[in-house]
Amino acid sequence: MNDNASSGAPHIRAGLGLWDAISIIVGIVVGTSIFRATSAIFDNAGGPTTAILLWLAGGMLAWCGAVCYAELATSFPRDGGDYEYLNRAFGSWCGFLFAWAQITTIISGNIGIMSYVFADYAGQAWPELKPHTLALTSGSIIALSALNALGVVAGKAAQNALTATKVVGLGGIVIAAALTSTSAASSSAPRVAVPATSGPNLGLALVFVLYAYGGWQHAAYVAAEVRNQRRNLPRALTFGIVGISLIYLVVNAGYLHALGFETARRAITPAADVLEHSCGAWAAKAISTLVMLSALGAINGMILTGTRIYAVWGADYPALKWLSTWNERRATPITAIALQAIIALTLVFLVGTAAGQNAFDVALNRVGLSSLPWQKFPGGFE
C-alpha cells in the first residue's frame, strides 16, 4: 500500500509495473557514454583486461548503491527519492535545497544537455537540419513534456519503446562487432582522437565509468507509483543494474574484438567504426539515429521521474502548493511538468544563444560536471 508522508500530498495511483521501472533505469543510464566514453576509459585503463574490470567494478558499485536505495524506497514509499530521504535524515532544509537544485539546474539542465545531443546528432545524420539546432533542441523538450502531460500511460509507453529500441540497436552493434575481424578494422583506418596518454590513470578511468552508470536512482523518484513496491522496486533496481552492466561489458568486448585495444583507445566513435567496417558507410547515420534515440530516452525518463520530486516538494510547502497539482485521471503532475519544461527551455535558449555551436560543452560544464577533467576527454561528448 502506498504511503504519502505528507497529508498535503496528492493521491497517487500506482501505474508503473516492474518492466516500466527497469525501462526508466536503463533508458536514463544507457545514454551517450557507451558511444563516447569508452575511448577515454580504454586509454586511461592501460590495457583491455583492466578496462573490462573497471566496467565490472562500476557495475558492482552501482549495484551496492541500488541495494541501499531499494531498502530506502521500500521503507519510505513516497515519490521524490533523495528529496524524501534527505528530509528524514538531515531535515527539511536539506530536502528543500535538493529539490531547488534539481529543478533549477541539475535535472532541467541535464534535459537541456540531452536535447543538444539529440539535435547535434540529427544534424550529423541529416546536414540540412544543422541550421535548426535550437529548434530541434527545444522541440524535443516540448514534445516529450507534452507527451508526459497526457498521462503516465503515454510517458511509460514512450519510455518502454525508446529503451527497447536502444537495447536492440546496441545488440546490432555487438553482432556487427562479432562479424568484424580486428585486422580488417585496423586496415581501414578508423577515425581517431588525440594520441594516447603517456600512462594509465585508473582513477580518471573510473570517473568516466561511474559517470556512465549514473542515473539509476531515478527509479526511487517514482516509488509511490510502482505497483507492489516491496517486490518490484528492489527487483527493478537489481535487474536494471545487472542489465546495464551486461550491456556495457558486452558492447565494450565487441569494440575490443572488432577494433583491437590500440585502435579502440584512440577511436572517436568506436560504435560507428565497428558498423562501418561491417556494414558500410551508411553506419554513421545508423549510429547517429541510435544516439538520438538514446538521448530521447534519457530526456523522457528525466521528465517522467524528475517532476515527481517537485510535486511532493510542493505538497510539503504551502507557498509551493500549486506545484503539487496532480491530474488524478491521467496520474501525472501537470504543473510540475510545465515548470520543468519552461526552466529547461530557458536554460537551452540562454546557453544556445550565447554559446552557439559550443552550446553542448558550455551546458555540460555549467550543469555541474566542471569538476571532471573534460580536457582529457577526446572531443567531449559532442
Side-chain angles (χ1 to χ4, degrees):
M1 180 175 182
N2 296 334
D3 175 32
N4 292 331
S6 170
S7 59
H11 173 72
I12 297 175
R13 185 172 73 249
L16 300 174
L18 175 61
W19 167 248
D20 300 323
I22 294 174
S23 180
I24 288 171
I25 296 170
V26 176
I28 291 176
V29 174
V30 182
T32 60
S33 295
I34 192 61
F35 303 106
R36 295 304 304 270
T38 51
S39 58
I41 293 167
F42 288 150
D43 192 24
N44 286 285
T49 302
T50 303
I52 293 298
L53 288 176
L54 284 172
W55 280 104
L56 181 60
M60 294 175 65
L61 289 171
W63 180 78
C64 290
V67 171
C68 295
Y69 268 67
E71 179 68 23
L72 288 168
T74 52
S75 299
F76 309 111
R78 188 192 187 198
D79 273 359
D82 296 299
Y83 168 77
E84 180 70 5
Y85 313 148
L86 291 171
N87 270 342
R88 292 177 179 271
F90 302 109
S92 59
W93 67 270
C94 192
F96 186 95
L97 291 177
F98 171 81
W100 173 261
Q102 299 300 308
I103 194 170
T104 58
T105 306
I106 299 175
I107 293 181
S108 298
N110 274 295
I111 288 173
I113 288 172
M114 286 295 104
S115 68
Y116 271 116
V117 171
F118 168 77
D120 288 345
Y121 274 87
Q124 288 187 26
W126 296 277
E128 62 273 15
L129 295 178
K130 281 188 176 181
H132 308 291
T133 295
L134 202 55
L136 290 170
T137 302
S138 56
S140 63
I141 297 173
I142 293 171
L144 290 175
S145 295
L147 182 67
N148 279 272
L150 292 176
V152 70
V153 174
K156 72 178 185 180
Q159 190 66 35
N160 292 342
L162 289 167
T163 299
T165 304
K166 182 189 305 185
V167 172
V168 170
L170 289 169
I173 293 173
V174 172
I175 293 173
L179 298 175
T180 303
S181 65
T182 303
S183 58
S186 300
S187 63
S188 52
R191 295 171 292 276
V192 296
V194 295
T197 57
S198 57
N201 186 336
L202 298 184
L204 178 57
L206 187 58
V207 165
F208 289 118
V209 168
L210 294 178
Y211 178 74
Y213 277 101
W216 50 264
Q217 72 275 13
H218 279 248
Y221 298 168
V222 291
E225 296 171 67
V226 177
R227 294 190 294 269
N228 195 0
Q229 290 175 355
R230 292 190 177 276
R231 180 182 182 185
N232 285 338
L233 268 175
R235 286 187 171 188
L237 286 163
T238 299
F239 294 162
I241 294 299
V242 171
I244 291 164
S245 299
L246 288 175
I247 289 171
Y248 284 164
L249 290 172
V250 172
V251 171
N252 279 280
Y255 290 161
L256 291 171
H257 171 77
L259 302 175
F261 178 72
E262 289 303 321
T263 301
R265 73 189 297 191
R266 296 181 294 116
I268 299 175
T269 53
D273 292 336
V274 168
L275 279 184
E276 188 170 343
H277 303 324
S278 178
C279 307
W282 62 268
K285 182 171 289 189
I287 286 296
S288 292
T289 303
L290 185 56
V291 176
M292 289 167 62
L293 292 172
S294 295
L296 290 177
I299 294 170
N300 190 78
M302 287 187 284
I303 292 172
L304 178 61
T305 58
T307 50
R308 272 56 180 180
I309 298 173
Y310 321 139
V312 296
W313 181 39
D316 288 346
Y317 295 91
L320 298 175
K321 184 71 176 177
W322 55 274
L323 194 54
S324 67
T325 303
W326 194 280
N327 188 306
E328 293 191 14
R329 183 173 64 85
R330 297 177 179 176
T332 191
I334 301 293
T335 307
I337 291 174
L339 180 61
Q340 181 176 254
I342 291 170
I343 293 175
L345 288 169
T346 300
L347 294 175
V348 162
F349 279 103
L350 287 175
V351 173
T353 53
Q357 295 299 315
N358 297 320
F360 173 80
D361 294 323
V362 172
L364 186 64
N365 284 280
R366 295 298 182 271
V367 168
L369 296 174
S370 57
S371 59
L372 293 179
W374 295 108
Q375 295 85 348
K376 295 184 180 180
F377 203 118
F381 281 90
E382 79 273 5

